[in-house]
Amino acid sequence: MSNNQELLKRITSRSDVFGGKPIIRDMRIAVEHVLGMLAAGETAETILREYPFLEPEDIQACQVFAHRSVAGEQVHERIQVR
């Protein structure tokens, strides 16, 4: 299994959290929130400092998720929905 596939295991979705949007490790932080912070110019270090429960791999997972989504891959099918 590739490292990217391992990273994607950190991205989950629950119908009772943010309407089923992709979240990080079943926590109440959406992938789109992290991606929005990165797009606004925040560094991974700043995000990790502001959200100490996140791990560097969580940010990488968000980036892999975004890349695969934009590339047209069916990332959502790989996410466990609870």
Side-chain angles (χ1 to χ4, degrees):
M1 186 173 293
S2 78
N3 186 45
N4 285 348
Q5 289 172 320
E6 285 297 316
L7 287 170
L8 284 175
K9 289 181 180 180
R10 293 174 169 269
I11 308 299
T12 58
S13 181
R14 293 177 32 194
S15 60
D16 62 327
V17 178
F18 302 135
K21 288 183 178 185
I23 55 176
I24 301 169
R25 290 187 289 128
D26 263 348
M27 296 184 289
R28 289 190 169 273
I29 184 160
V31 169
E32 72 179 274
H33 182 70
V34 172
L35 293 172
M37 288 186 291
L38 291 169
E42 295 291 342
T43 64
E45 293 77 19
T46 300
I47 295 169
L48 293 170
R49 190 170 47 250
E50 291 178 6
Y51 298 87
F53 53 88
L54 290 178
E55 300 171 355
E57 293 83 3
D58 295 327
I59 295 174
Q60 286 180 285
C62 291
Q63 292 171 319
V64 170
F65 182 88
H67 174 260
R68 292 210 173 165
S69 294
V70 170
E73 295 184 27
Q74 294 295 323
V75 180
H76 300 285
E77 291 178 2
R78 297 185 189 123
I79 297 174
Q80 181 180 18
V81 178
R82 295 180 188 192

